[in-house]
Amino acid sequence: MPARSDITYFGAGPALLPTDVLEKAAQALLDFNGTGLGIAEHSHRSELATSIINEAKVDLATYLDIPAADYEVLFMQGGGTGEFSASVYNLVGAWVARQHAAVLKDLGGSEAADEAAVVAALRAKVETDLKLDYIVTGGWSLKAYQEAVRLLGPEYVNLAADARLENGGKFGKIPDQASWKLSKDAALVYYCDNETVDGVEFPEFPSALAPKADGTGPIVVADMSSNILSRRIPVANHSLLFFGAQKNLGSTGVTVAVLKKTFLPPTITQPSPALMRRLGLPIPPIVLQYEIVAKNNSLYNTLSIFDVYVAGQVLKKLLSTFPNKVDGQQAVAEKKAEIIYSALEAHPDVYKIVPDKTARSRMNICFRVIKNGTTDESEKAFLEEATGLGLTGLKGHRSVGGIRASNYNSIPLEGAEKLAKLIEAFAKA
Ligand SMILES: Cc1ncc(COP(=O)(O)O)c(C=O)c1O
């Protein structure tokens, strides 16, 4: 039976958590801060629960330099998948709210405007102007795109870029930004910063989505589920970014949405369900409505305070380890990725790195073992040797096969070095 200290787990999520955080969390499950009650038993409406939420929000904002005056941090449930839907509902709602205000103005103000005329004008706008743009660079952004199509209908959803078209039908490249077919004034432009299954990461924020000099620009939504906390993000370029906790932040069960406050009251109030019904547009389940979650400080319904606590402890550890905050972790993440990719590159006859060099993920390193031209057998042998050395969780996603080393923040430098050594030794054997 291996001990925890014998294992370096490269699974794609849930991922390793720091052992000292788990030890503290285990104690907190039994007795939180001498209250005689475990943290999973305390009311989510207790004062201590509120301070756990508030501290985690502040620590996240500090670590990532999120301007607290401009962004709201929301703890939600439903995972990244829930956010595929939430982003559509809420940003289509915000689009309708903006159009509604414009139509009312055109028709002489809310007092003067005839309701039927307002609805007719809005319907016409929905038909001609409502568009959501998706940049599809891997399996997760594809799922987000498909969810938007499912919720709204294909006529409203624009596949602005599809990486498979430039890469022989497979993911592995980021299409040239000049080729992206972005809509005018889209309700959102969506991208996934790091594609966990395909090992594709944007090397930097896409310049095609940057705000203009006057500050206006597209409404950008980013899925950062699998690279959050591992590099600096130009937060101000985003209207919404979201991530599940279970890779770099904490335990499965909590999802974070960071939303620009201008999408919340008093600037924007979601349209009434009655209006959305008349426009034939979907109405969000109330737990996915950001306005409701924000108004209730993430406690509209029962939130797992234990999961927020674990995330908070991971953030405290990061803040105490890296005085220069996320920049410190970024340097480590880059070094670990470099060590592993260099080992693979040294043996092109044995390993084939799956994504194009320009889009290689630092977090999910995907490769095939092609030794002697027998990929299946070679990969099996590689995985067996890895397991023998305590390097586990390396099997690629079931949809693409191969090997995937998920190199999240909790993989220590020595873990990356051990994997690089195996890559080297296996190639030479
Ligand atoms: C990039 C990315 N987005 C979204 C998801 C979906 O997250 P969840 O399973 O929490 O719904 C995942 C899951 O691994 C992911 O890696």
Side-chain angles (χ1 to χ4, degrees):
M1 292 274 274
R4 185 176 173 81
S5 55
D6 298 330
I7 298 290
T8 308
Y9 178 62
F10 290 92
L16 269 185
L17 280 162
T19 299
D20 53 348
V21 167
L22 288 180
E23 281 164 352
K24 206 165 168 205
Q27 175 54 41
L29 269 177
L30 287 172
D31 180 358
F32 182 69
N33 278 2
T35 54
L37 207 58
I39 191 169
E41 298 159 318
H42 276 282
S43 167
H44 60 296
R45 305 219 176 269
S46 59
E47 241 174 69
L48 63 87
T50 302
S51 43
I52 287 170
I53 292 174
N54 290 345
E55 256 184 62
K57 280 165 76 166
V58 169
D59 287 343
L60 178 72
T62 306
Y63 179 75
L64 287 177
D65 286 317
I66 299 171
D70 301 334
Y71 286 83
E72 190 65 50
V73 174
L74 308 172
F75 291 109
M76 299 180 64
Q77 297 160 77
T81 307
E83 296 303 316
F84 297 167
S85 326
S87 50
V88 171
Y89 287 127
N90 286 276
L91 292 175
V92 168
W95 183 91
V96 170
R98 289 194 301 278
Q99 305 304 323
H100 193 193
V103 164
L104 284 177
K105 202 167 156 210
D106 283 353
L107 296 178
S110 54
E111 302 289 298
D114 167 64
E115 205 203 327
V118 172
V119 172
L122 273 174
R123 272 215 189 117
K125 276 194 182 257
V126 167
E127 266 171 38
T128 54
D129 296 344
L130 177 60
K131 279 281 176 283
L132 283 73
D133 285 356
Y134 283 77
I135 313 297
V136 172
T137 52
W140 288 112
S141 48
L142 178 62
K143 280 203 165 156
Y145 163 77
Q146 288 166 340
E147 176 63 355
V149 169
R150 193 182 70 86
L151 289 174
L152 293 172
E155 62 275 32
Y156 299 119
V157 188
N158 171 35
L159 183 54
D162 181 345
R164 291 168 298 185
L165 300 178
E166 292 195 10
N167 199 40
K170 291 192 171 166
F171 292 120
K173 267 188 183 165
I174 293 174
D176 183 357
Q177 294 182 39
S179 72
W180 295 4
K181 296 187 180 67
L182 298 172
S183 311
K184 191 171 167 288
D185 297 327
L188 64 83
V189 186
Y190 183 104
Y191 77 101
C192 176
D193 205 30
N194 183 67
E195 287 284 359
T196 321
V197 172
D198 310 280
V200 168
E201 185 176 30
F202 276 84
E204 59 200 358
F205 180 82
S207 55
L209 306 184
K212 291 183 239 154
D214 65 2
T216 62
I219 294 169
V220 177
V221 175
D223 175 359
M224 299 205 167
S225 293
S226 51
N227 65 351
I228 194 69
L229 312 186
S230 75
R231 71 174 181 191
R232 182 160 287 279
I233 307 165
V235 177
N237 291 356
H238 297 84
S239 296
L240 168 68
L241 50 98
F242 68 80
F243 43 96
Q246 67 267 28
K247 299 167 200 300
N248 270 337
L249 177 62
S251 45
T252 314
V254 69
T255 316
V256 183
V258 179
L259 178 68
K260 211 175 222 172
K261 285 188 179 167
T262 49
F263 288 91
L264 290 169
T267 316
I268 285 184
T269 301
Q270 288 289 307
S272 70
L275 176 59
M276 293 300 269
R277 262 193 288 276
R278 291 181 76 178
L279 298 175
L281 293 172
I283 299 147
I286 201 152
V287 291
L288 292 185
Q289 196 161 57
Y290 295 140
E291 189 173 300
I292 298 288
V293 181
K295 191 169 149 209
N296 292 280
N297 195 25
S298 301
L299 290 176
Y300 177 74
N301 70 324
T302 316
L303 178 69
S304 170
I305 300 301
F306 173 72
D307 293 311
V308 180
Y309 173 77
V310 173
Q313 293 305 311
V314 169
L315 286 164
K316 286 199 186 305
K317 189 175 165 74
L318 286 169
L319 283 167
S320 68
T321 309
F322 299 111
N324 54 348
K325 305 187 283 186
V326 70
D327 297 330
Q329 178 64 72
Q330 176 166 348
V332 176
E334 282 166 7
K335 185 162 184 201
K336 288 188 299 171
E338 163 69 21
I339 289 170
I340 299 171
Y341 279 121
S342 297
L344 292 167
E345 277 178 335
H347 301 282
D349 49 332
V350 177
Y351 304 108
K352 184 181 178 313
I353 298 170
V354 177
D356 191 72
K357 195 163 184 172
T358 53
R360 280 180 190 170
S361 167
R362 299 157 310 128
M363 293 286 113
N364 306 98
I365 297 171
C366 296
F367 59 96
R368 305 300 310 229
V369 187
I370 51 171
K371 200 174 185 178
N372 307 325
T374 56
T375 306
D376 286 351
E377 274 169 39
S378 297
E379 285 175 351
K380 210 166 149 233
F382 182 89
L383 288 172
E384 268 169 21
E385 281 200 30
T387 305
L389 295 168
L391 307 174
T392 61
L394 285 162
K395 201 167 192 309
H397 190 268
R398 60 188 185 284
S399 63
V400 292
I403 312 288
R404 171 176 54 176
S406 293
N407 181 34
Y408 297 134
N409 288 350
S410 55
I411 299 286
L413 189 59
E414 307 82 69
E417 283 166 351
K418 270 191 205 164
L419 178 60
K421 261 195 192 158
L422 166 66
I423 290 169
E424 180 75 25
F426 186 86
K428 287 184 174 158

